[in-house]
Amino acid sequence: MKFDEVIGQEEVKERLLQMTREGRLPHAIMLCGPQGVGKKALAVAFACYLLGESRYETGESRNTDLASRNTEAMLRKLEHPDLHFTYPTIKLPSMSSDHKPVSDDFAKEWHELLTGGGPYFTMDEWMTAMGGENQQAVITAGESEDLVRKLSLKSSQGGYKVSIIWLPERMNIECANKLLKLIEEPPQQTVFLMVSEEPDQLLETIRSRVQRIDVKKLPAETIRQALVERRGISEEQAQRISRLANGSWLQALQELQVGTENEQFLDLYISLMRLAYQRKIRDLRKWSEVLAGFGREKQKRFLNYFLRMTRECFVYNFQDSQLVYMTEAEESFAKNFARFVNEANILPIYDLTNRAIRDIGQNANAKIVFFDFTLQIIVLLLQK
């Protein structure tokens, strides 16, 4: 994968290249930022650069050297022996009780997803690929042991060994402590590239030993241009989607799809608010059971959608179209509903929703969490 396949993020690309060319590349880098801005794509492209392009810049021939041509071929398929991927996994029913799932258990699924649609994919897509939509994916202690074994081997190509760790915040404590030791005393010419969305959940001792690079949201113009050039859509449609994407290429791709998840979430949002306003407790309980039937990752995505939609309703009251980022269907609902979201309840609604996200993330009973959530919404909608 090449850097030109990454959407935008020119500043981060240049920073990574400059550190390498000036000989001050740290052994551990953590790319931090919201979902969909290209962190994983940057990590993969930089890994390919370290394992391939950086060697040519030292004077090696790319045309006559058979080894360099083989390296290029391996990197195109992301099958280089010195490129290692670590990612959250689940425990399948077919696994023995004492087995600690590791990335290699799902190497085929990971490679198909990474090379099939590119590095822009969500945790939900990864969970579907593994066949575990209703589980919580984690990085186990078995993974750190496996990584120690792999990185202790000599580089097969005589250059860097690169370890890409996707979502290190999902490491359990045993794994995190073992990885800390590995980062403190890294094998020779090993580079760790961590891709994190919630770095504050990592051990402070790990955060203090990596160089953090913040990857910002993509400008709307960058997304608009990429939609037109890479997806071939009209300027008008690209303009609207780029605003709705809120800096996320993943969100832009989801907006392109027919029957997107956001449409389902909007229906659920509308249903909840109408039932809460009418105080239909029995129907709200059924609504809670529907949400409880989703996988936990999808439950958290709905709650984040709920936060966004509530914020948009609140801002809609200011009657400034430049501040509103909604689809036509969302705006149609907001026209009549927005007045119920006001200064008196917007912050309590945010606090309530964030508590629900925390509880779901800690494996609380989803039926109880969502039913309590709906009852609290009844009370908050009455505040003026």
Side-chain angles (χ1 to χ4, degrees), residues 21 78 89 102 133 137 185 210 214 279 334 360 376:
R21 291 165 181 166
L78 297 181
T89 58
V102 295
E133 294 89 339
E185 300 178 6
V210 302
D214 289 315
R279 305 183 195 180
I360 291 298
Q376 296 287 346

Side-chain angles (χ1 to χ4, degrees), residues 241-303:
I241 290 176
S242 65
R243 281 175 53 82
L244 292 172
N246 191 29
S248 169
W249 177 246
L250 271 177
Q251 183 64 36
L253 295 180
Q254 290 171 1
E255 292 292 342
L256 279 176
Q257 299 171 4
V258 179
T260 63
E261 185 178 74
N262 278 4
E263 293 177 356
Q264 180 189 23
F265 286 170
L266 175 60
D267 289 341
L268 288 167
Y269 185 91
I270 293 173
S271 176
L272 168 60
M273 292 309 190
R274 286 175 175 168
L275 293 173
Y277 180 75
Q278 297 167 3
R279 305 183 195 180
K280 293 186 176 181
I281 306 299
R282 185 172 298 177
D283 290 334
L284 285 172
R285 183 167 185 172
K286 292 179 181 178
W287 183 94
S288 304
E289 291 172 351
V290 170
L291 264 292
F294 295 164
R296 291 192 178 270
E297 295 298 331
K298 188 172 182 178
Q299 290 168 0
K300 288 189 286 187
R301 285 202 308 281
F302 169 75
L303 290 168

Side-chain angles (χ1 to χ4, degrees), residues 116-245:
Y120 292 91
F121 57 83
T122 64
M123 171 54 73
D124 187 58
E125 291 176 281
W126 174 230
M127 294 293 289
T128 300
M130 289 191 292
E133 294 89 339
N134 294 319
Q135 296 188 49
Q136 292 262 56
V138 298
I139 302 177
T140 68
E143 183 67 39
S144 57
E145 295 167 0
D146 204 36
L147 198 55
V148 169
R149 178 184 58 80
K150 290 177 181 177
L151 297 179
S152 64
L153 300 175
K154 185 178 179 180
S155 168
S156 66
Q157 304 294 305
Y160 287 108
K161 292 175 288 183
V162 182
S163 171
I164 296 179
I165 305 176
W166 183 45
L167 303 182
E169 57 266 32
R170 288 179 177 257
M171 292 186 293
N172 62 27
I173 190 65
E174 186 180 358
C175 177
N177 285 324
K178 290 183 178 180
L179 181 65
L180 173 61
K181 294 180 180 179
L182 189 59
I183 293 175
E184 287 177 332
E185 300 178 6
Q188 187 177 11
Q189 281 196 291
T190 297
V191 177
F192 294 93
L193 300 177
M194 300 185 186
V195 178
S196 176
E197 292 174 4
E198 298 176 293
D200 290 343
Q201 294 188 14
L202 272 168
L203 293 177
E204 170 59 30
T205 45
I206 290 181
R207 297 202 306 268
S208 66
R209 286 165 174 77
V210 302
Q211 180 162 333
R212 173 171 174 163
I213 298 178
D214 289 315
V215 185
K216 300 176 182 178
K217 290 184 177 182
L218 293 165
E221 175 58 24
T222 299
I223 295 177
R224 184 204 62 76
Q225 185 176 350
L227 286 170
V228 172
E229 295 178 354
R230 304 187 184 215
R231 298 289 165 165
I233 68 174
S234 68
E235 288 281 354
E236 183 180 354
Q237 187 183 11
Q239 182 69 28
R240 185 174 185 88
I241 290 176
S242 65
R243 281 175 53 82
L244 292 172

